[in-house]
């Protein structure tokens, strides 16, 4: 089983890791591709990766995250979102949310998915589903507040059976799982409002006890029962300085050498910091819950996440203005901010994360398990 977590642009890490894992698994001395997982689940950015991981097309996953500009994924309604440093920027973002419902829309991403999830891929998903495999993505249904699991193998089967509308339903399920409140517009399916599954869990943990039991029954003979979890994030809230990024906003020392703490703070900074801590805890809890349920049902669990060395990792990203130079991921992210001021998706930083994912030793360790 493979569980892919949420994590927005950090999904680039998972893309690189999946690609390297596939390369290192060998059959007859040649790359063997990803394992043929019985179950693949995805949340948010993991949902966007899930179809291609299910089908073993890691090259396409890497291409999806190798963007050249943020506009390939979203269309902003405001200049800087809530990350802007000035009061004017924050006021503009707040007014935009009240008027438009979000600071951006994901129409470019929806268009990309329409190109990516074509009839041939849906037919491939349906064939794998007929062989007893499951592809599932999670979102949150807002009226009930409950987790909602979309069975994409069933949607693909119904498409192949002649219901052409299932292609749009499939794509909208991916969009629903990826639509972060205020950052992107909610998605409506069959008259119900859905938002990003990351609002409830980092990896799909609700309703998974039955999945483990079903998957365990499908495994016959000496086939290993493994759960692989790729966390497109750190599982840490991260340190702040006066509710701001410590590198960008260091706290100055006073003349006597002491460091003032929280001399100034704002409601919006406090609210977003509190939200990030709550989301981080939901990610940690869902990973723990999933691995615990897996252990109870005879599965061995393996998980990989982004570690503290990401910012120091050096890579060549191939984008102007320094396409052939090697720099740290922290450098590339700063350059993205200086040149393009993206709301969320940093093209150079994402390419550096792909390289970081490929460099992780766990890819070789996982490849050697089977």
């Amino acid at each position: 089983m493979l569980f892919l977590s949420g994590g927005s642009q950090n999904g680039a890490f998972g893309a690189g890791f999946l690609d390297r894992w596939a390369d290192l698994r060998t059959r007859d001395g040649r790359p063997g591709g990803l394992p043929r997982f019985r179950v693949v689940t995805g949340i948010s950015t993991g949902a966007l990766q899930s179809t291609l991981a299910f089908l073993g097309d890691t090259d396409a996953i890497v291409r999806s995250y190798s963007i050249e500009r943020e506009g390939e994924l979203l269309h902003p309604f405001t200049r800087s979102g809530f990350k802007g440093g000035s009061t004017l920027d924050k006021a503009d973002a707040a007014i935009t949310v009240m008027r438009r419902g979000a600071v951006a829309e994901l129409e470019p991403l929806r268009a990309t998915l329409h190109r990516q999830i074509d009839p041939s891929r849906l037919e491939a998903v349906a064939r794998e589903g007929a062989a007893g495999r499951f592809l599932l993505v999670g979102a949150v249904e807002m009226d009930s507040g409950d987790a909602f699991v979309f069975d994409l193998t069933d949607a693909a089967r119904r498409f192949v059976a002649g219901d052409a509308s299932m292609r749009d339903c499939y794509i909208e399920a991916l969009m629903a799982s990826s639509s972060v409140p205020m950052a992107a517009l909610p998605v409506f399916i069959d008259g119900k409002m859905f938002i990003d599954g990351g609002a409830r869990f980092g990896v799909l943990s609700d309703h998974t006890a039955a999945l483990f039991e079903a998957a365990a029954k499908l495994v016959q003979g000496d086939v290993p029962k493994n759960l692989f979890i790729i966390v497109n994030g750190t599982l840490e809230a991260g340190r702040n300085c006066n509710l701001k990024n410590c590198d960008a906003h260091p706290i100055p020392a006073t003349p006597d050498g002491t460091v003032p703490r929280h001399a100034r703070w704002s409601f919006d900074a406090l609210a977003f910091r509190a939200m990030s801590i709550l989301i981080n805890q939901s990610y940690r809890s869902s990973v723990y819950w999933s691995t615990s349920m897996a252990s109870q049902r005879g599965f061995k669990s393996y998980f990989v996440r982004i570690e503290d060395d990401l910012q120091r990792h050096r890579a060549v990203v191939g984008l102007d203005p320094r396409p052939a130079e090697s720099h740290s991921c922290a450098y590339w992210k700063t350059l993205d901010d200086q040149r393009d001021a993206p709301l969320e998706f940093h093209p150079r930083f994402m390419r550096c994360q792909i390289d970081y994912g490929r460099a992780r030793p766990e890819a070789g360790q996982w490849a050697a398990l089977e």
Side-chain angles (χ1 to χ4, degrees), residues 75-360:
H75 170 243
F77 296 145
T78 183
R79 292 171 295 177
S80 59
F82 290 99
K83 297 179 182 179
S86 72
T87 301
L88 183 61
D89 286 337
K90 294 174 182 177
D92 178 61
I95 293 170
T96 298
V97 168
M98 287 188 288
R99 292 180 56 193
R100 307 293 294 271
V103 296
E105 64 179 2
L106 297 176
E107 284 306 310
L109 172 61
R110 183 177 273 109
T112 296
L113 290 174
H114 272 279
R115 293 191 296 271
Q116 189 180 86
I117 308 300
D118 59 17
S120 64
R121 281 209 167 103
L122 287 173
E123 290 165 3
V125 170
R127 285 195 299 270
E128 295 301 319
R133 301 178 65 204
F134 294 92
L135 174 59
L136 311 168
V137 299
V140 177
E141 195 275 302
M142 291 304 288
D143 283 340
S144 67
D146 292 337
F148 192 96
V149 178
F150 292 96
D151 184 346
L152 298 186
T153 35
D154 181 62
R157 177 190 61 78
R158 292 166 66 183
F159 173 81
V160 171
D163 187 347
S165 70
M166 281 296 109
R167 183 185 179 200
D168 286 336
C169 288
Y170 189 113
I171 291 167
E172 289 308 297
L174 299 179
M175 293 295 298
S177 184
S178 309
S179 296
V180 180
M182 292 195 296
L185 297 171
V187 172
F188 293 86
I189 301 174
D190 294 335
K192 295 183 178 181
M193 178 189 288
F194 294 92
I195 65 165
D196 194 314
R200 279 196 67 98
F201 35 48
V203 297
L204 189 63
S205 54
D206 289 35
H207 314 305
T208 51
L211 275 178
F212 283 113
E213 291 168 5
K217 292 176 182 177
L218 289 170
V219 176
Q220 303 294 327
D222 296 328
V223 177
K225 292 194 293 185
N226 293 327
L227 168 64
F228 300 100
I229 300 179
I230 298 179
V231 179
N232 293 302
T234 65
L235 294 182
E236 303 293 338
R239 184 172 179 270
N240 269 203
C241 294
N242 278 353
L243 302 178
K244 297 179 180 179
N245 180 281
C246 292
D247 294 330
H249 303 277
I251 302 174
T254 59
D256 63 2
T258 62
V259 177
R261 306 296 296 177
H262 298 289
R264 300 184 63 184
W265 62 278
S266 63
F267 172 78
D268 62 302
L270 177 61
F272 279 101
R273 177 60 172 166
M275 184 172 66
S276 71
I277 293 171
L278 289 170
I279 292 173
N280 175 257
Q281 185 58 44
S282 77
Y283 271 54
R284 294 168 69 98
S285 298
S286 61
V287 169
Y288 172 77
W289 182 245
S290 297
T291 56
S292 296
M293 285 191 292
S295 177
Q296 293 169 13
R297 290 158 178 82
F299 285 76
K300 292 192 67 175
S301 297
Y302 303 87
F303 87 96
V304 65
R305 64 174 181 171
I306 295 173
E307 302 289 351
D308 292 339
D309 58 347
L310 168 64
Q311 300 301 325
R312 300 188 299 274
H313 179 78
R314 297 180 67 88
V316 176
V317 301
L319 289 180
D320 289 337
R322 301 172 179 83
E325 294 183 14
S326 174
H327 292 286
S328 70
C329 289
Y331 174 90
W332 289 123
K333 187 174 184 180
T334 299
L335 186 61
D336 281 326
D337 282 327
Q338 291 173 348
R339 289 181 61 86
D340 306 315
L343 289 179
E344 177 62 27
F345 298 100
H346 296 68
R348 296 169 185 83
F349 179 57
M350 290 171 67
R351 288 175 178 232
C352 193
Q353 287 197 85
I354 290 171
D355 189 80
Y356 173 75
R358 284 181 170 138
R360 290 299 295 272

Side-chain angles (χ1 to χ4, degrees), residues 17 20 24 304 309 356-367:
F17 185 88
R20 183 60 174 162
L24 292 176
V304 65
D309 58 347
Y356 173 75
R358 284 181 170 138
R360 290 299 295 272
E362 290 90 342
Q365 296 165 11
W366 290 14

